[in-house]
Every structure is written in structure tokens, then in C-alpha cells.
Amino acid sequence: MRKLFQILVLLLLVTVQAVSAQEVQPSETLTKIRQDNECTVYTFNYPSENIDGNPIVLSSALVAWTPSDRQETDSIESVHILSHITITADRERPSTTEGASDDQNFAVFMPGRRYGSEYTEEYANYAAHCIIIMPDYEGYGLTKENQHPYLSQRLTAQQVLDGVRYGLELYKKIAAEKSDEFPLLPIKSDWRSFCIGYSQGGAVSLATHRLIEEQGLADELRFQGSICGDGPYDLVTTMRYYLEDDGTSYDVQTEHRKGKLSYPVVAPLIVKGMHATHPAMAPYELKDFLSEQFLDTGVIDWTDSKDYNTTEMAQMWYNQVQNGVDTLGHHYTPEQMAELFDTPSSNKVNGNIDKMFTQELYDYMSDDSNFDVVPEVPVNAPQALHRAIYDNSLSTGWEPQHRIQFYHSKYDMVVPYGNYLAFRDGHLQSEGTMYRVDDTFSESDHVMAGGAFMVYVFVSKSVPQVFNWICEGSQPTGIKEMSDVRGKMSEVWFSLDGRRLYHKPMQKGVYINNGVKFVVE
């Protein structure tokens, strides 16, 4: 009897494992979760790789124009690769079924929209009559238990690109079947694709743009260019702003003051993202970058849980300033917490960077001379973070082949305007031809500027002109010469076992770059 019981338990475990394995397999069909505004929101799972080069299955949303009064000539004109904003709660992801995320709400507004008789169909359909693919990013949705690799630009861009390619082929397959269950419109032969995103999504869009060109995928995706709003394209510039700006940068007046961080959660998100993905950070712990008092607020548990959005975290910090903190044997009075945070309101908390960072990191970041040269082989925690955020810059190291429309508010105190200037300074020769900026669309801080971005880009009269400008100016798609491909691959490193690395290696060992072995000592 005991042996029979053991066999039954074993069979149950095998069954549970089989069901679990099925749950994380790439999708063979789309799953409908919402219908609104003549649009249908679907989800799908797709194969990709994590930072270690191991297989992983990620989740994504796909929004399709599905008109109720379908005409025989209706078809999909374009594909939008929409990268979402920074989120901290899993319910905010694009594929959520817990209400609707901001990105999902925006997406259902866009696909079937027409822009009025003053605009020609040729212009309007660049943006309308589309499908939108919105991957969740690793760490959300299907991979909620994973660490989110925040602002690890190349990794996230690759995962987004994998989702777009898989989702597009899945859509085409199902549309060709012409089933009543999935009344999907066919994709026109001359369809176009665009990368679009705001905030973290703006940076991911720019990184995906770069990757499409590097990997010669512009022809396959019929890629035209990108629309990027207020993105953190250069984290060194962003950090320097937090420490140096006193409300007078970029010829405008803001409420920002030196040493203040108006979204304190940004600091642990950056440190955690770099720590999880950059080899220079591996020898260190989070406590080597973030102060004990800041860690004692519980911020790491909050972000790891994926249960709280940024407003809820601000409210919890506000309560700590009002009532003090008792945690892990430490007691902090309200007065001590007031040294860590300024609290203008229950929904608004400013972090004091000198109290959030360790003293060593704060001293390093406050010294201008440390940023004259990027540490080649970091020897301490501050240098490791410096190297990691530098390596995740998008402002230099490549030349765009397709046009980019930037939007960036000069009044943004979370992702400062200097991020656009860093890109501009790295590409002065192509300003106005391959890229341009609109820095007048908003005179608001980050969140309000995000709302203006969505309205200004996709609802206002600028819609046709922006998409038309992008489509007219991009160079021929694809990388045609093998010499160009080799040049792009010079930035890619592999371990000896063939595992692709997402940064130049810092640890001792033998690596392969551009077909040649290199020894790091």
C-alpha cells in the first residue's frame, strides 16, 4: 500500500509538472481578453532569452483593429511596437486582466481611429488601422516572479523584438485561417512598422530601433522609424542632473533642487536592474549602493512583490515620515524619516539622495572629476555602477538609419531634457535629417508630460505630419553590406560556450568578440 501511495504521489507530481510546463509554452493562438472601441485586445506568450542566454517564455498584449462594420477592403496598414512606461505593480502590465493598464487603454483608442477629412488616407493610415504589439517586459505577467532588468537596454530591446516577431507571425497565421472566432483583418503588402514609447518605453523604443538596424531586420519588419518621448537615454546625464540641478537647467524654471529625487523608487529600480544584468555589479550587494535606512523602509520587498504602484509607495513613505519606522530591529523616528524624505503631500514624496545612497556612492557621484573617464575595470561599488549605467546609454555608439521623432519636456524633473541633449551631442551631423525634437509640446513634469505626449502625438493635428516625416526620410531598409554587419557585430561579445553577453565582459576569462578570442585579466 505504501509503495502504491508513493507511485500515486509521483504520478501527481508528473501531472502537475506537465500542466505547469504547458502554461509556459509559447502560444499557438491568441487569447482574447477585451473588446472596446472596435479594437480587440489579445494576449500571447513567446520565446526569448534571459540575461544568461537561457530560454525563457514571456507574455505580451496584442491590440488589433476589428471593425464591427467590416468592409471587404479593410486591412491592417501598420504595426506599432509600443513599449510601456515604468511600472512597479504587475496589474499595470499591458496584458493585464485586472481592469486595464494605462498602456492598454491608450492602445484601444488608437487602431481604428480616423483623423478627419482634411488629412488624406495615405497620411492617416500610418497611425490608424493598425495592430499594436506590447510586450510586458521580463519580470511582469508570465514572469512576475523574475527580477525586472530595469533599463538594461539591450536585453529588454531584444526581448521586445522577439515578442514583435513572434506576435506578428502568429497574427498572420490566424488571420489567414479566416475563422469566426478570430475575425482578424489581413495585413496589407505595403504595411509599415514604427517603435513608439514614453519614459522607460521611450528608451526601450530607441534601443529596439537600434537593434532592428544592427540585426538587419528593417526589411523583415518594414521598419520606418521611432517616436520617443522623455526617455532615459543616458543615465549618467540623469544622475548628474539629480545632484546638480537647482531648478534652472535648460533655460526654464522648475521646482527641482540639488540632491532631490522626485521619484525615489527610481534609485532602487536602477540599482537593482544594473545589479541583475551587468557583470561589473556582480561582486557587490544592494547595501553597497543604497543606505541601510533607505533599505529599511521596505522598498526592495515592495518592488519585488510587484503589488504596489509608485503612488502607493509614495503614500507608504509618507506614512513612515508621519509615524516613524520599526523594522528589523531598527527604529527610526518621524524626524529621522524626514531627513530621508520631503513630503509635500501624501501622493508626493521627494527623496534626499545623500540619505538614500551610501556615503561612498554619494561622495563618488557628487565629484565631477569622477565622470571625466569611464572606469574600464571598476575596483569598487561606485565605479561598478558608473560603468553599468554608462554601458546602458543609448546616446552614442551607433548611427540611426531610420528617422526618430523625439518629444521631450524641458520641465521634466524625473527624466531631464539632458537625455535628449546627450543623444543630440552624439549625433550632431544628422540633427534635422535623421532625427528632430519637439520640446514645446508640454511645460509639465514627467507624468503630465506623458499625458500630453499621448494626446499630442496621436490625437492632435501633428499625427499625419509626424508619421509622414518619418516615412519620407528613412534610408533604405536593412543592412546590405557584410562589412556593415561585421561593424555592428563588433559590439557583441560571447562566452566560450557560445552564450551571448549583453555587455563587454568585466570578469576574468576568455571571450569572443567579432570572431576573435580576447582574454580579460
Side-chain angles (χ1 to χ4, degrees), residues 193-229:
S193 73
F194 305 85
C195 288
I196 304 170
Y198 182 81
S199 189
Q200 181 184 1
V204 175
S205 293
L206 192 61
T208 304
H209 180 131
R210 178 181 67 180
L211 213 58
I212 289 172
E213 294 178 345
E214 285 182 359
Q215 297 182 5
L217 296 174
D219 281 337
E220 174 188 319
L221 296 174
R222 301 189 60 82
F223 182 62
Q224 302 300 303
S226 301
I227 302 175
C228 304

Side-chain angles (χ1 to χ4, degrees), residues 13-210:
L13 288 174
V14 170
T15 302
V16 170
Q17 290 174 351
V19 171
S20 176
Q22 289 175 358
E23 291 175 349
V24 297
Q25 292 300 306
S27 298
E28 296 183 3
T29 189
L30 296 170
T31 300
K32 178 180 175 181
I33 63 171
R34 177 182 177 189
Q35 190 157 12
D36 190 10
N37 192 38
E38 293 202 323
C39 299
T40 306
V41 182
Y42 301 96
T43 63
F44 66 93
N45 302 331
Y46 66 92
S48 188
E49 291 184 353
N50 63 16
I51 188 63
D52 297 318
N54 296 322
I56 189 172
V57 178
L58 303 173
S59 50
S60 177
L62 185 152
V63 183
W65 178 43
T66 51
S68 55
D69 183 21
R70 179 170 173 170
Q71 304 299 311
E72 187 175 344
T73 56
D74 286 339
S75 60
I76 297 300
E77 304 279 346
S78 58
V79 175
H80 296 305
I81 305 167
L82 183 60
S83 297
H84 67 76
I85 60 176
T86 294
I87 61 174
T88 55
D90 187 58
R91 65 182 183 274
E92 300 175 291
R93 71 185 188 273
S95 70
T96 186
T97 56
E98 302 177 51
S101 65
D102 290 341
D103 293 279
Q104 194 181 108
N105 280 331
F106 160 69
V108 300
F109 173 79
M110 183 179 174
R113 182 174 174 80
R114 293 179 180 273
Y115 298 96
S117 58
E118 66 268 34
Y119 304 128
T120 68
E121 282 296 306
E122 180 185 8
Y123 288 178
N125 288 345
Y126 287 169
H129 303 167
C130 66
I131 60 174
I132 301 172
I133 298 177
M134 301 186 293
D136 287 334
Y137 301 162
E138 183 178 359
Y140 295 101
L142 194 62
T143 55
K144 177 186 174 182
E145 303 306 316
N146 292 14
Q147 167 74 51
H148 170 50
Y150 188 66
L151 298 184
S152 181
Q153 310 287 25
R154 190 173 290 276
L155 171 63
T156 303
Q158 184 63 62
Q159 292 176 339
V160 166
L161 187 54
D162 291 342
V164 170
R165 298 176 74 190
Y166 190 89
L168 187 57
E169 290 307 308
L170 189 60
Y171 180 95
K172 289 178 179 177
K173 177 180 77 72
I174 297 173
E177 293 171 354
K178 299 180 179 179
S179 71
D180 293 335
E181 183 181 2
F182 295 99
L184 302 180
L185 293 171
I187 299 179
K188 288 186 67 174
S189 60
D190 60 347
W191 62 279
R192 306 169 173 88
S193 73
F194 305 85
C195 288
I196 304 170
Y198 182 81
S199 189
Q200 181 184 1
V204 175
S205 293
L206 192 61
T208 304
H209 180 131
R210 178 181 67 180

Side-chain angles (χ1 to χ4, degrees), residues 499-519:
R499 179 170 56 86
R500 179 172 178 166
L501 307 177
Y502 287 89
H503 302 282
K504 183 178 179 180
M506 299 293 170
Q507 304 302 311
K508 292 181 179 180
V510 181
Y511 303 90
I512 298 173
N513 172 250
N514 204 20
V516 179
K517 288 184 178 180
F518 286 86
V519 178

Side-chain angles (χ1 to χ4, degrees), residues 225-265:
S226 301
I227 302 175
C228 304
D230 287 43
Y233 317 119
D234 193 292
L235 289 176
V236 173
T237 295
T238 301
M239 287 290 190
R240 303 304 301 149
Y241 170 87
Y242 294 153
L243 289 163
E244 295 177 349
D245 172 72
D246 212 26
T248 58
S249 297
Y250 319 123
D251 300 320
V252 299
Q253 294 286 330
T254 70
E255 297 178 357
H256 186 264
R257 293 297 176 263
K258 292 180 180 179
K260 302 289 184 181
L261 189 54
S262 57
Y263 265 66
V265 73

